[in-house]
Amino acid sequence: MVATSTRQMTADLLVIGGGIHGCSAALHAALRGLRVIVFEKDTVARHASGVNAGGVRKLGRHIAEIPLSLHSMSIWRHIADLVDDDCGFQPAPQIKVAETEAELETLRRRVAELNGLGYTHERILDRQTMREHLPGVAEHCVGAIASLDDGFAQPYQTTFAFQRKAQKTGVRVLENTPVERVFKSGKDWKVSTGGQEFTGRFVLNCAGAWGGEIARQIGDHAPVRAYAPMMIVTERLRPFCTAVVGATGRPLSFKQMPNGTVVIGGGRPGVPEPASNRTHMQMAELRHSAQTAMDIFPVMRAAQIVRSWAGIEGLMPDGIPIIGPAAHAQGAFHAFGFSAHGFQLGPGVGDVMAELIATGRTQAPITPFSIERFPQNPTRAHKELS
Ligand SMILES: Cc1cc2nc3c(=O)[nH]c(=O)nc-3n(C[C@H](O)[C@H](O)[C@H](O)COP(=O)(O)OP(=O)(O)OC[C@H]3O[C@@H](n4cnc5c(N)ncnc54)[C@H](O)[C@@H]3O)c2cc1C
């Protein structure tokens, strides 16, 4: 990374993290006329945003996330209009099967709750309708909950598309550029990396699993921890499933790709090592995901696994991200800790963050995601920032 002039080292917005959230917020901010620099310690999409399962689902969202998820979905449906690339987005139903009557009853209550709140995107599929969508599903499955107009996309293709369009719109993306220090100097924010200091009016923490340290330097406390979801991909099978499938009583994310391979995730995690960027697979745990897939789709009993991997993701104790302004510091913002379901939210949350930063407000209901839901330490923050 070489910055040659003061102008190149100054921007309106300094974004820390080149995942889907950093690249999306940067693009949306540039579209609003802000000068933006993105700092990425490795390479764009190197972490969760590049290696995830690609699920684009409204199904099963925490109630607080639904408005953001709906907003994101409206962008996904026309994603090429925003980033000049279809991101491999394929519309597909997302279906979560019930293996027992008790599970199906839980799903019915979920639909009733959503309907009571005015949301109609999730519905119950009875046994026969579920089978029409999932002809290969096991006999013991009794029904399902579904969001029929969800989909999936290609993670690397998507994040690179946001990066490219951001760059075309004037954003500078500095890869292999770890932010070592973030601090306030007068009204401005400073970011230091490799002996250089960059200046911006605003700073946005999109550092994923590493977001806790950036938050600490900004003066906030966020109990984010690194988490390593594991994935499996099989050899190519004849086409048998066009939906993205989950289970109700046990973790599963299951989809057959257009080339016939089956991508399975959602199970127990591996061991993350965020300091070294490494993850360790837990093969004994991976067996549970494979077993769930075989139980729900008997055709999977004959499938060969060809590859497995894990990615590093930021997990919050309550399973929902931190989105919004810093607790104590003017001009600083957070969007991290997406707790293994932030890919779908990327396009919409970037838009919301850009609106918040550029205008000082947003219509989006982001209060539930405030960093202030966790205990903060104002005394320390003020001392660090003074
Ligand atoms: C295996 C797996 C499967 C998943 N499946 C799905 C799915 O199907 N659907 C879904 O919606 N979500 C899914 N997710 C979750 C989704 O991938 C994440 O929530 C999302 O990608 C988070 O994006 P991000 O930009 O916040 O984080 P990241 O992609 O982790 O980006 C953060 C970036 O910040 C950089 N960074 C950190 N510290 C610094 C620093 N000091 N200086 C500069 N750069 C820094 C990191 O190097 C990293 O590149 C999955 C995640 C995994 C791991």
Side-chain angles (χ1 to χ4, degrees), residues 29-227:
L31 290 171
R32 286 175 175 271
L34 269 57
R35 286 181 308 132
V36 185
I37 304 175
V38 175
F39 302 85
E40 168 51 53
K41 70 180 172 62
D42 299 310
T43 48
V44 164
R46 160 73 176 79
H47 294 289
S49 298
V51 303
N52 65 62
V56 176
R57 69 169 167 85
K58 306 188 296 302
L59 181 69
R61 290 271 160 195
H62 187 289
I63 300 283
E65 283 182 350
I66 292 174
L68 294 179
S69 182
L70 294 174
H71 178 47
S72 246
M73 207 67 210
S74 68
I75 302 176
W76 274 109
R77 287 200 189 97
H78 309 281
I79 195 82
D81 293 349
L82 178 64
V83 293
D84 306 336
D85 187 310
D86 70 10
C87 299
F89 176 69
Q90 307 247 349
Q94 291 254 358
I95 300 177
K96 191 155 90 169
V97 301
E99 296 180 82
T100 65
E101 282 298 335
E103 287 178 8
L104 190 55
E105 188 47 38
T106 308
L107 300 180
R108 284 195 193 99
R109 283 200 296 273
R110 159 89 178 174
V111 171
E113 183 188 10
L114 291 190
N115 289 349
L117 294 167
Y119 298 123
T120 54
H121 58 284
E122 296 188 21
R123 70 189 61 179
I124 293 295
L125 304 183
D126 61 21
R127 183 189 283 262
Q128 191 187 327
T129 318
M130 172 190 67
R131 261 166 226 296
E132 284 162 13
H133 284 287
L134 305 174
V137 78
E139 277 301 315
H140 73 277
C141 296
V142 293
I145 192 169
S147 174
L148 295 176
D149 58 349
D150 286 359
F152 59 94
Q154 297 291 346
Y156 277 115
Q157 186 180 341
T158 303
T159 309
F160 289 149
F162 273 88
Q163 173 197 10
R164 260 196 321 272
K165 186 63 187 281
Q167 286 172 311
K168 266 196 212 159
T169 314
V171 173
R172 293 185 66 212
V173 179
L174 305 178
E175 295 183 292
N176 301 305
T177 306
V179 168
E180 288 143 14
R181 216 172 138 233
V182 188
F183 58 100
K184 197 144 194 198
S185 167
K187 282 189 172 169
D188 289 330
W189 282 94
K190 300 264 186 191
V191 149
S192 68
T193 170
Q196 295 186 311
E197 265 180 20
F198 292 77
T199 306
R201 284 193 291 145
F202 307 109
V203 68
L204 172 59
N205 173 11
C206 290
W210 300 264
E213 171 56 19
I214 301 295
R216 190 189 67 74
Q217 294 192 25
I218 286 171
D220 288 350
H221 170 65
V224 60
R225 76 176 170 85
Y227 180 72

